[in-house]
Amino acid sequence: MGISEAAKPAMVICTRDRARATPFYRDTLGSSVAYEDSFAAVFHVGGVTLRVSVVADFIPHERTILGLACRMSRRL
């Protein structure tokens, strides 16, 4: 079995402003915080690890970097 068959995927998203990014992923998207350290805020998202890491000279992408398939409940 190769590493890609045994390993769980992890997502890494870069930000210049972790103080703004952390509440977005935690409060707006409802992701649970696993832990924070000096490198990243780490979340659990659908069984996958999401690391929001600070990169001082990061230039935001012009396109989508993360998409989430969600089931919406319908109220009648």
Side-chain angles (χ1 to χ4, degrees):
M1 177 184 304
I3 192 166
S4 63
E5 294 169 343
K8 285 189 169 186
M11 299 177 282
V12 178
I13 294 178
C14 300
T15 183
R16 289 185 299 229
D17 189 349
R18 193 167 102 188
R20 282 185 60 205
T22 299
F24 172 76
Y25 287 96
R26 182 190 62 222
D27 304 333
T28 304
L29 297 182
S31 302
S32 62
V33 177
Y35 64 92
E36 291 189 62
D37 59 24
S38 60
F39 301 106
V42 181
F43 300 88
H44 293 298
V45 178
V48 176
T49 299
L50 168 64
R51 294 181 58 86
V52 179
S53 300
V54 174
V55 176
D57 59 351
F58 175 67
I59 298 171
H61 303 286
E62 293 181 8
R63 295 183 173 64
T64 302
I65 59 165
L66 173 65
L68 301 171
C70 301
R71 270 184 27 188
M72 301 295 289
S73 61
R74 291 179 63 184
R75 294 184 199 196
L76 300 175

